[in-house]
Amino acid sequence: MPPFVIDMQRTEDARDVVHRAVQALAEGKLVAFPTETVYGVAASARCPEAVERVIRSTKRPADSPLTLAVKSADDALDYVPDMSPLAGRLARRCWPGPVTLVLDANHPDSLLNALPSGVRKRVAPAGAVRLRAPAHALIQDVQRMLVGPIVLAGMRRNGDVEAITATEVTDFLGDEVQMVLDDGRCRYGQPSTVVRVTNGQLAISRAGVF
């Protein structure tokens, strides 16, 4: 069946929408969120089947890692306890915001180890995890209420163009997504900048918003 689309610019009770989104994610459903960069389809990282549906619905290569959405630089330390000083400075300076950090994630105390094994393979397939704290109040409110993290993936229409409106999301995903939160065109309209930080050095893997 078609996704349930909620117009956030006309809703009278944003808190109710947040509760609905949290419930949908907890039930293993897919929810499309606006961010400051592009729209992303999200699933609870506690639901392996939902994470697999994110892979299929966005037509991502199986070896393309998903992003783990975090609330803040402090939250990221739960997943990368030995985060380098350089990575920590970038996280504090750039988050919430349009930067994705790729960090080594092999620490035995990492909360990644608490995720289902199938999910770990999707977010840290080669011992590195992609973390981002989106700067959009809606997804931040959902993160604060949801137990566990969210995996997030963009949607590449026509091969290269990311979805930046809710209409583009529904055109791309159809009934693969159960809920779409429509907050108009994304502020920047282009993907986040991806920065790999390792051994005290950084390298830009994808040039995007910065």
Side-chain angles (χ1 to χ4, degrees), residues 57-71:
S57 66
T58 57
K59 301 177 174 62
R60 299 173 70 84
D63 59 352
S64 179
L66 296 169
T67 295
L68 199 64
V70 296
K71 296 183 283 292

Side-chain angles (χ1 to χ4, degrees), residues 31-54:
V31 179
F33 284 93
T35 74
E36 76 279 21
T37 55
V38 298
Y39 274 78
V41 59
S44 167
R46 293 160 57 92
C47 300
E49 298 83 1
V51 171
E52 291 303 312
R53 292 203 305 277
V54 170

Side-chain angles (χ1 to χ4, degrees), residues 72-73 76 83-103 131 133 193-198 200-204 210:
S72 65
M83 184 183 297
S84 70
L86 175 59
R89 287 196 299 272
L90 282 172
R92 289 189 296 273
R93 179 173 295 182
C94 299
W95 289 346
V99 173
T100 299
L101 296 181
V102 183
L103 308 172
L131 299 177
T193 293
V194 178
V195 181
R196 178 73 163 97
V197 183
T198 184
Q201 302 291 324
L202 63 84
I204 296 177
F210 193 81

Side-chain angles (χ1 to χ4, degrees), residues 77-171:
L77 289 171
D78 290 337
Y79 302 96
V80 186
D82 55 351
M83 184 183 297
S84 70
L86 175 59
R89 287 196 299 272
L90 282 172
R92 289 189 296 273
R93 179 173 295 182
C94 299
W95 289 346
V99 173
T100 299
L101 296 181
V102 183
L103 308 172
D104 292 331
N106 297 306
H107 197 283
D109 295 333
S110 170
L111 282 188
L112 289 172
N113 297 319
L115 298 178
S117 60
V119 175
R120 292 199 303 272
K121 292 177 182 177
R122 295 306 191 188
V123 298
V129 64
R130 295 164 61 103
L131 299 177
R132 180 182 168 201
H136 193 288
L138 181 58
I139 194 170
Q140 290 172 351
D141 288 344
V142 168
Q143 286 177 289
R144 280 190 283 268
M145 294 187 61
L146 183 70
V147 177
I150 296 171
V151 299
L152 197 61
M155 292 148 279
R156 289 185 176 273
R157 302 174 301 110
N158 301 322
D160 295 316
V161 183
E162 300 272 358
I164 61 173
T165 68
T167 298
E168 292 172 352
V169 171
T170 56
D171 287 347

